[in-house]
Amino acid sequence: MTGISRDDIRAAVGAGMISEAQAVSLIALGEARRGTREHMSGLDEPFELFRGFNEIFIVVGLVILYAGWAGLTGLSLFDANNGYVLAMVYAVMTMAAVVMLARYFTLTRRMVAPSITLAVFFALGAGQLGRSLGWMLDAEFAMSITLAAGVWTVSLVAYYVFFRVPFTMALIALGVFTTTFGLVSFSGTLPTEPADIFLLTAEGPFAILTMVLGLIGLAVALHFDMSDPHRVTRRSASGFWLHIIAAPAIVNTIALSLFDVGSVFAQLLLVAFVACMAIFAVVIDRRSFLVSSVGYIVVLSITVMEGGAFLAILLLGLGLTLLGAKWEVLRRVLMDALPEFPGKYRLPPWTIMTSEEPEA
């Protein structure tokens, strides 16, 4: 497929389909995207938390501002110090103030770190609003937390639609997990310990739910990735944060369940599973998927395997180091060797020369 040329854009302006200002914006966007693709270093996976120390300076100011506001109002997710009516009022005021600040720091200044911080503050305000509704209804703790998570999730979806802050997707995913677990707990089934959330042999459906929600999150993340294979828009960054949440949900469940079996065969299966996840991460070109998965396995190795953990960690660290050093080479060989499959050419390019999708 061929792209839209400048002559096409000028013709659209002449036909009254778009304004001159919109035409200039389209041309600037196209040049920026083209420049990004041409100057990508080693087909690396973009990652950005802040752009300069001024953003950190602003984040410090925002954190202090929020802390002072919470202290003055008694804003808390754990208790309605001033009654649930005032708690709701303060929560709504918090969310409104965050929206006003985000209009400047996110929409106007396009700052990364302040946008992430404001998304967190908005989520806390939404959670406070949900908890206040629970206190008003005199709900039990589980119901109150579920209400908080539900309001958190719905509010953040609206926040994401308006502000498009990629980090919001991670907060939405956490809200979906908490809301789902809360709804399931109404049947009287509760995890006796945190490990039950990932242990397939534990009582209750929590481990299965964790895997299912993780797979759904992975599917949405891949949708974002395939809509922006060159990773120059916020869709790719949104996919990044979903991978951070989805990967542990999938890998943790399998890893802990195999650790719980304790046999040599189960450990071999775990090694094979981690290898498959590594191959999958290379195919979709997401180091974040693998890192967030392996991080939990390292912690699990220390707590479960005890003395034998450090050899496993040593080998795992060696493998990750080699994989990171030769990621592009390994991915090019792997992608060239793989047969055609749906979506293969919608994944990030594995060489600069073959980054263009073949003609239909």
Side-chain angles (χ1 to χ4, degrees):
M1 295 179 62
T2 58
I4 298 176
S5 66
R6 290 194 177 208
D7 290 336
D8 294 328
I9 295 177
R10 294 191 186 98
V13 174
M17 299 175 65
I18 59 175
S19 66
E20 290 186 6
Q22 291 172 327
V24 171
S25 298
L26 284 173
I27 292 173
L29 177 62
E31 291 178 348
R33 286 171 60 89
R34 183 166 55 253
T36 300
R37 291 195 296 267
E38 291 172 353
H39 295 89
M40 287 178 71
S41 176
L43 298 175
D44 200 359
E45 180 179 356
F47 176 69
E48 189 175 42
L49 280 178
F50 60 92
R51 299 171 182 168
F53 194 77
N54 185 47
E55 290 199 2
I56 302 300
F57 185 83
I58 293 171
V59 167
V60 172
L62 290 172
V63 170
I64 295 174
L65 178 65
Y66 182 84
W69 169 251
L72 286 175
T73 61
L75 196 66
S76 173
L77 285 171
F78 305 103
D79 187 23
N81 296 326
N82 300 316
Y84 61 80
V85 175
L86 280 178
M88 283 191 283
V89 171
Y90 290 144
V92 172
M93 290 175 63
T94 300
M95 296 166 69
V98 168
V99 168
M100 292 174 61
L101 290 169
R103 288 177 64 88
Y104 177 72
F105 288 112
T106 301
L107 297 183
T108 302
R109 296 291 301 274
R110 301 288 181 180
M111 290 184 165
V112 179
S115 296
I116 292 175
T117 305
L118 289 171
V120 173
F121 291 164
F122 186 86
L124 292 175
Q128 172 70 21
L129 180 59
R131 284 281 277 162
S132 301
L133 291 174
W135 291 321
M136 182 180 68
L137 298 173
D138 198 22
E140 296 181 355
F141 179 78
M143 171 67 80
S144 181
I145 291 297
T146 304
L147 277 173
V151 174
W152 165 304
T153 304
V154 173
S155 300
L156 283 172
V157 169
Y159 189 88
Y160 178 81
V161 169
F162 190 80
F163 292 107
R164 299 290 179 179
V165 178
F167 180 76
T168 310
M169 293 306 302
L171 298 175
I172 292 173
L174 292 175
V176 170
F177 272 87
T178 306
T179 305
T180 305
F181 291 158
L183 292 174
V184 171
S185 68
F186 292 160
S187 63
T189 303
L190 292 171
T192 57
E193 55 185 34
D196 291 347
I197 297 175
F198 303 107
L199 197 59
L200 289 171
T201 55
E203 295 183 1
F206 293 101
I208 296 175
L209 279 176
T210 300
M211 280 199 63
V212 170
L213 293 175
L215 290 171
I216 293 173
L218 176 61
V220 177
L222 289 176
H223 171 74
F224 279 122
D225 287 347
M226 289 184 172
S227 68
D228 181 24
H230 291 285
R231 293 178 178 166
V232 294
T233 72
R234 285 174 291 183
R235 292 192 301 275
S236 172
S238 299
F240 168 87
W241 289 109
L242 275 177
H243 282 297
I244 293 293
I245 301 298
I250 298 169
V251 176
N252 294 357
T253 306
I254 300 298
L256 185 56
S257 298
L258 290 175
F259 268 128
D260 187 61
V261 174
S263 66
V264 175
F265 180 70
Q267 293 182 16
L268 292 176
L269 284 178
L270 178 59
V271 172
F273 175 71
V274 172
C276 289
M277 289 297 97
I279 294 173
F280 177 74
V282 172
V283 169
I284 65 174
D285 197 24
R286 278 296 187 187
R287 297 163 180 83
S288 54
F289 180 89
L290 191 58
V291 167
S292 60
S293 304
V294 169
Y296 178 80
I297 294 178
V298 170
V299 175
L300 199 63
S301 299
I302 295 175
T303 57
V304 177
M305 296 177 65
E306 298 178 351
F310 294 105
L311 176 59
I313 293 173
L314 175 66
L315 296 176
L316 192 58
L318 177 62
L320 284 179
T321 303
L322 294 176
L323 186 61
K326 296 297 181 181
W327 183 278
E328 293 85 2
V329 176
L330 292 172
R331 185 165 189 266
R332 182 171 64 248
V333 172
L334 178 60
M335 296 300 287
D336 287 339
L338 287 175
E340 301 295 323
F341 58 86
K344 180 176 182 179
Y345 291 98
R346 294 176 60 196
L347 291 171
W350 46 96
T351 65
I352 294 294
M353 297 302 295
T354 61
S355 63
E356 294 297 327
E357 183 174 341
E359 295 291 338

